[in-house]
Amino acid sequence: MTAEKPTGPLGDHLDDDDYPAYTMGRAAEMLGTTQGFLRAIGEARLITPLRSAGGHRRYSRYQLRIAARARELVDQGTPIEAACRIVILEDQLEEAQRLNAAYRRTAESTDPASAA
C-alpha cells in the first residue's frame, strides 16, 4: 500500500506539529484540564493560540505539549505564573542545546585538526 497525499480538510497538516487543529474544548479535554487553565496560560503568554475566522482559539500539538508540561508543574503545587516561566526557560534551554550541538557538528566537520 502506498501513502497518498492527504486531501481532506487538514491537507498536508497531519504531520505538522504547529498546525492549529484543536479547539479549546478539545484541547482541554485532551489535557484533562479546564478551558480556564488554557486561558490562564495564554494570559501568562506561555502559548498564544491562533484564532479561527470566527475568533475561536485553536491549538497545535506543540502547544498542547507545552500546556501539558505546565499542567504537570501546577499539579505539583507550582503557581501558574511560575510554571509558565519554568516551561519557557526549559524550552529556551532545549533550543539552545540543539543549536549548540548543530554548531559543534558543523565545526567538527569543517575543522581538519579535529579529524586527526
Side-chain angles (χ1 to χ4, degrees), residues 6 16 20 24 27 33 36 42-43 45 50-51 54 57 59 63 89-90 92 100-102 108 114 116:
D16 185 355
M24 176 180 269
T33 189
E43 289 171 12
R45 298 182 188 222
L50 271 74
R51 297 283 182 149
R57 291 173 178 90
Y59 297 89
Q63 289 173 324
L89 291 171
E90 287 174 344
Q92 289 173 344
N100 193 16
E108 288 171 357
S114 67

Side-chain angles (χ1 to χ4, degrees), residues 9-10 13-14 16-22 58-61 63:
L10 293 179
H13 300 294
L14 291 175
D16 185 355
D17 269 359
D18 295 319
Y19 184 73
Y22 303 98
R58 304 290 262 180
Y59 297 89
S60 68
R61 286 187 299 208
Q63 289 173 324

Side-chain angles (χ1 to χ4, degrees), residues 4-115:
E4 294 180 24
K5 188 173 184 175
T7 58
L10 293 179
D12 340 333
H13 300 294
L14 291 175
D15 292 332
D16 185 355
D17 269 359
D18 295 319
Y19 184 73
Y22 303 98
T23 63
M24 176 180 269
R26 180 68 180 129
E29 181 183 311
M30 290 170 67
L31 295 171
T33 189
T34 64
Q35 293 180 16
F37 175 79
L38 291 172
R39 282 189 207 93
I41 62 175
E43 289 171 12
R45 298 182 188 222
L46 176 62
I47 57 175
T48 304
L50 271 74
R51 297 283 182 149
S52 69
H56 300 282
R57 291 173 178 90
R58 304 290 262 180
Y59 297 89
S60 68
R61 286 187 299 208
Y62 173 75
Q63 289 173 324
L64 294 182
R65 283 195 300 274
I66 295 292
R69 175 65 180 131
R71 179 165 184 242
E72 287 175 18
L73 292 169
V74 169
D75 287 350
Q76 294 170 5
T78 306
I80 196 161
E81 296 82 13
C84 290
R85 184 68 181 140
I86 290 167
V87 173
I88 289 167
L89 291 171
E90 287 174 344
D91 198 46
Q92 289 173 344
L93 176 60
E94 184 179 323
E95 178 67 9
Q97 288 173 330
R98 188 191 63 73
L99 288 171
N100 193 16
Y103 290 143
R104 277 198 193 119
R105 284 190 300 274
T106 301
E108 288 171 357
S109 68
T110 58
D111 183 14
S114 67

